[in-house]
Amino acid sequence: MIWYLFQRLLALLPTVLVPLVLVFLLIRLAPGDPASIILGDQATQQQIAALRHQMGLDQSPIVQFGRFLSDMATLQLGQSSFLQQPVVDVIPSYAAVTIEISVLALVWALVIGIGIGAIAAFRRRHPEGRVAKALGILGISVPNYFLALVLIIVFAVAVRWFAVGGYVPPAAGLLPHLQSLMLPSLALGLGEVGFVSRITRGSLLDVIGEPFVVTAKSLGLRTSRITTTHIARLAALPLLTVIGLLAASLISGSVVIENIFGIPGIGQLMFNAVSNRDYSLIQGIVLFSGTAIIVVNLVVDILYAVVDPRVQYGAHAR
């Protein structure tokens, strides 16, 4: 298992390295000088030149890239020019908020998506099954920012169950804290329900048609036992893969959702960092996002062996 995890880490390293290199190139090709943005319009050319030298922006691109790789390898993420704090001190508090929203969104996506997909599979010849299938197709087509606006209009403006936006920390109370996370997590989660329901329906239909299901029914086993013991376990394998994909989707979707609801998470932090050309902070956020995706995918790989005993890692794998 340890050797397998090491191999998986090596295989997943491009998940972090490639985006980091692309970010390094793209943010330096983008118009706008970080030194000019930080100092403002009233700064003199001498002040701008001094700050560029301090930030190392007056060096050649090759020297900057070499220093960039060295800093990433040693986790020396530098100082945020926008917040005037070390990047390693800034990211954790914002990341904790995004992780909370993403976990809640994942729960919404899985619970609602699996429910709709199961209805579409087991009741496929009935009206409710056709409606569930149509909902799955519709869910894929609706972007999460549109869902966010609909949720605000319905639950914040019309019935006034939740606030339009803002974030309440846990220290202010558990219930107000969860209420502040409800709408953004729903907007993120509902945006992935269609995808989850389609995967669930497809995997269930594949397993339902297997010979062992027909044999179990012919032996007189209860339908509920066949569904929970045999069908659900095999159908869960594609859903585990979906969790790994959703991790990347939820992190990227948080940029829009957190700005709509005014949530101080990684998405809003990334937006502010890009707006202010904060190179160090942008690179740190990309490093965190890539690492989070790697961790989720490693956990998913381990869960494969738990759900399906046929999957083996290490020396006993065949």
Side-chain angles (χ1 to χ4, degrees), residues 106-256:
L106 184 61
V107 171
W108 289 122
L110 292 177
V111 171
I112 301 174
I114 290 174
I116 293 175
I119 294 172
F122 289 114
R123 306 290 291 177
R124 59 189 180 278
R125 295 186 178 90
H126 298 79
E128 59 268 30
R130 297 188 182 96
V131 171
K133 181 181 178 181
L135 286 175
I137 297 173
L138 179 64
I140 296 176
S141 309
V142 179
N144 54 19
Y145 66 83
F146 178 78
L147 290 171
L149 297 176
V150 171
L151 290 173
I152 290 174
I153 293 172
V154 174
F155 294 105
V157 177
V159 299
R160 298 185 179 181
W161 289 354
F162 305 100
V164 174
Y167 173 74
V168 178
L174 181 60
L175 183 59
H177 174 63
L178 292 177
Q179 286 178 330
S180 69
L181 298 179
M182 191 62 66
L183 290 186
S185 65
L186 262 177
L188 265 180
L190 291 178
E192 306 298 336
V193 162
F195 178 56
V196 174
S197 67
R198 298 291 292 172
I199 296 296
T200 302
R201 180 180 182 274
S203 60
L204 284 174
L205 290 177
D206 289 342
V207 178
I208 290 172
E210 291 290 331
F212 75 86
V213 176
V214 179
T215 303
K217 290 180 179 179
S218 66
L219 293 175
L221 293 178
R222 294 192 305 272
T223 302
S224 59
R225 181 180 178 185
I226 296 172
T227 301
T228 56
T229 306
H230 303 289
I231 296 177
R233 190 167 187 175
L234 288 179
L237 290 176
L239 289 175
L240 288 177
T241 304
V242 168
I243 292 175
L245 297 174
L246 286 180
S249 180
L250 293 175
I251 291 175
S252 61
S254 67
V255 176
V256 176

Side-chain angles (χ1 to χ4, degrees), residues 18-81:
V18 172
L20 279 174
V21 173
L22 289 176
V23 164
F24 173 85
L25 296 174
L26 291 176
I27 60 178
R28 283 162 176 79
L29 292 174
D33 181 19
S36 300
I37 294 174
I38 294 171
L39 295 176
D41 297 334
Q42 304 301 320
T44 65
Q45 291 298 321
Q46 291 78 8
Q47 291 173 324
I48 294 175
L51 184 56
R52 284 180 57 83
H53 177 73
Q54 181 183 341
M55 299 174 65
L57 299 177
D58 56 345
Q59 298 176 337
S60 67
I62 296 177
V63 174
Q64 291 186 50
F65 185 67
R67 190 182 62 185
F68 162 76
L69 292 179
S70 174
D71 291 344
M72 290 300 103
T74 57
L75 297 180
Q76 300 295 323
L77 304 181
Q79 183 94 353
S80 168
S81 58

